[in-house]
């Protein structure tokens, strides 16, 4: 599999996704999306060469959706989480049905911050993946090892196991995105090396082929996340199994995020 899936890299549109986490209120969100749009336009960024997605806090989504629709801004709208349930007595939760109604297309599931601070295990992640698919949302399934896991098991074992569990019961035709985010690289300023990212991304593509099928492995985008910046994005994008990036801190700084989106121009890949 892996060689044919890797050779199909050109059929996978690169995706640069900004996870804002709990930053920017709805007014700041609107200003940020407007500025990002104009920065990319002024720089002559070719829409379609790279897909851009923003993942604001829930409270911003309606405002960002209104702006994107009104100004025909070519960004995908994402959410940072969803409930495993459709509706009911789940105080504080947000249903995939509500997100879909707001024009949300992508939803992050299993981010290491939710796994760590909200004790979300593989069972919860699996249930949320199914909830997203049920409501027509594309899950961005986050997997990654801690520094301790890396030392004990190497880079691939934990992300491979997390992805296998997240894909249980998922049909091969499902539209999904996988984000490999080593926990030790998130927010630390210490990114993985491109070779490390490639090794794990190739192993994850192998999981897609084994658990889903070769076609799913060939078409599914695998992102790298963890201290991505404009100065290192091109080195990740040169790797055959890395199809984009999930960007945290750097997605909050418009000029920096725009430079990441424009990685093909400013470094040449
Ligand atoms: C993230 O939290 O998804 C992330 C990749 O963060 P950062 O880019 O800040 O490391």
């Amino acid at each position: 599999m892996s060689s044919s899936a890797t050779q199909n890299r050109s059929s996978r549109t690169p995706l640069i996704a900004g996870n804002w986490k709990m930053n920017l209120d709805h007014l700041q969100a609107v200003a940020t999306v407007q500025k990002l749009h104009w920065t990319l336009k002024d720089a002559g960024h070719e829409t379609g060469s790279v897909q851009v997605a923003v993942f604001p806090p829930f409270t911003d989504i309606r405002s960002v959706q209104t702006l994107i629709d009104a100004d025909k801004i070519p960004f995908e709208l994402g959410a940072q989480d969803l409930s495993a349930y459709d509706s009911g007595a789940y105080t504080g939760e947000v249903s995939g049905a509500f997100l879909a109604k707001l024009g949300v297309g992508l939803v992050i599931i299993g981010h290491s911050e939710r796994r760590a601070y909200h004790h979300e295990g593989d069972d919860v992640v699996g249930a949320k993946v199914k909830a997203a698919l049920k409501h027509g949302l594309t899950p961005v399934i986050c997997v990654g090892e801690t520094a301790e896991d890396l030392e004990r098991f190497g880079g691939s074992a934990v992300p491979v196991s997390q992805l296998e569990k997240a894909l249980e019961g998922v049909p091969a035709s499902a539209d999904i995105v996988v984000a490999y985010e080593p926990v030790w690289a998130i927010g630390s300023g210490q990114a993985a090396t491109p070779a490390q990212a490639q090794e794990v991304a190739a192993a994850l593509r192998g999981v897609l082929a084994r658990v889903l099928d070769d076609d799913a492995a060939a078409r599914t985008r695998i992102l790298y996340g963890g201290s991505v910046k404009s100065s290192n994005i091109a080195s990740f994008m040169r790797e055959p199994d890395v199809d984009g990036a999930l960007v945290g801190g750097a997605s909050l700084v418009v000029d920096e995020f725009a430079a990441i989106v424009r990685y093909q121009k400013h470094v040449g890949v």
Side-chain angles (χ1 to χ4, degrees):
M1 169 291 319
S2 139
S3 60
S4 67
T6 296
Q7 281 156 17
N8 278 336
R9 161 76 192 272
S10 57
S11 66
R12 300 189 290 268
T13 303
L15 170 62
I16 301 293
N19 173 16
W20 294 358
K21 310 192 186 194
M22 197 171 73
N23 293 293
L24 308 183
D25 64 32
H26 73 286
L27 298 173
Q28 294 166 321
V30 165
T32 300
V33 168
Q34 263 168 338
K35 185 170 176 207
L36 179 62
H37 176 50
W38 283 107
T39 302
L40 289 170
K41 256 198 145 170
D42 286 351
H45 175 68
E46 198 187 311
T47 302
S49 61
V50 173
Q51 193 176 21
V52 179
V54 291
F55 293 76
F58 287 131
T59 49
D60 300 359
I61 287 177
R62 176 68 164 149
S63 305
V64 172
Q65 179 230 8
T66 303
L67 171 68
I68 284 176
D69 279 5
D71 288 5
K72 298 191 173 40
I73 296 178
F75 299 164
E76 295 294 319
L77 184 54
Q80 298 175 19
D81 187 32
L82 85 170
S83 172
Y85 304 101
D86 293 348
S87 63
Y90 302 103
T91 302
E93 295 285 286
V94 176
S95 163
F98 305 161
L99 296 173
K101 208 151 213 172
L102 281 174
V104 168
L106 298 156
V107 59
I108 293 173
I109 296 174
H111 191 281
S112 63
E113 287 152 16
R114 294 216 60 91
R115 290 183 192 257
Y117 308 146
H118 301 269
H119 312 292
E120 292 190 5
D122 290 324
D123 49 344
V124 172
V125 171
K128 288 187 173 189
V129 168
K130 289 193 199 71
L133 293 171
K134 177 177 176 186
H135 295 293
L137 304 170
T138 299
V140 179
I141 304 171
C142 296
V143 296
E145 81 288 358
T146 62
E148 196 191 336
D149 295 333
L150 179 66
E151 195 146 303
R152 288 181 66 193
F153 312 115
S156 300
V158 167
V160 159
S161 158
Q162 289 173 336
L163 184 59
E164 284 169 348
K165 289 176 184 140
L167 292 180
E168 275 170 24
V170 168
S173 59
D175 186 19
I176 62 172
V177 172
V178 177
Y180 167 51
E181 298 208 302
V183 180
W184 48 269
I186 293 179
S188 67
Q190 187 203 343
T193 65
Q196 281 175 311
Q198 168 58 26
E199 184 186 329
V200 180
L204 295 174
R205 205 172 295 287
V207 172
L208 294 168
R210 192 158 30 81
V211 178
L212 301 178
D213 61 20
D214 278 351
D215 183 58
R219 74 167 188 275
T220 298
R221 289 172 295 180
I222 300 178
L223 314 182
Y224 166 75
S227 297
V228 167
K229 311 183 264 251
S230 62
S231 57
N232 63 19
I233 179 66
S235 63
F236 290 110
M237 296 306 291
R238 282 193 197 99
E239 298 296 340
D241 284 296
V242 177
D243 306 310
L246 184 54
V247 185
S251 71
L252 299 170
V253 183
V254 168
D255 289 336
E256 176 67 0
F257 190 61
I260 292 171
V261 171
R262 299 185 68 248
Y263 69 91
Q264 291 158 321
K265 292 285 180 290
H266 66 93
V267 189
V269 176

